[in-house]
Amino acid sequence: MGKRLVTVLSLVLGILHLMLIYLFLHDWQSFTTAFGFISWVGLILFGMIICSFIGHQVR
């Protein structure tokens, strides 16, 4: 169950990062708004939570 959850969370995080890359490359003006900043910070926090979860699964 744990490996499957980690796989799903990793895929979701990867998709969200690809969306941010798209915004940065093609629609950078919307990326420089408050929404873009909140998305960026949110993804960093989400990634830290996933890394913490993976660290607890490995131990």
Side-chain angles (χ1 to χ4, degrees):
M1 175 72 180
K3 285 187 178 183
R4 186 173 186 172
L5 182 61
V6 168
T7 302
V8 170
L9 290 175
S10 297
L11 287 173
V12 169
L13 187 62
I15 290 169
L16 291 173
H17 274 97
L18 288 174
M19 289 171 55
L20 277 180
I21 289 172
Y22 169 79
L23 284 175
F24 184 71
L25 294 176
H26 295 287
D27 196 15
W28 63 269
Q29 291 173 340
S30 69
F31 190 70
T32 58
T33 62
F35 172 74
F37 181 72
I38 291 170
S39 299
W40 179 65
V41 171
L43 280 175
I44 290 173
L45 293 175
F46 186 60
M48 292 171 74
I49 290 169
I50 289 176
C51 285
S52 173
F53 180 74
I54 291 171
H56 289 295
Q57 291 293 324
V58 171
R59 293 181 201 170

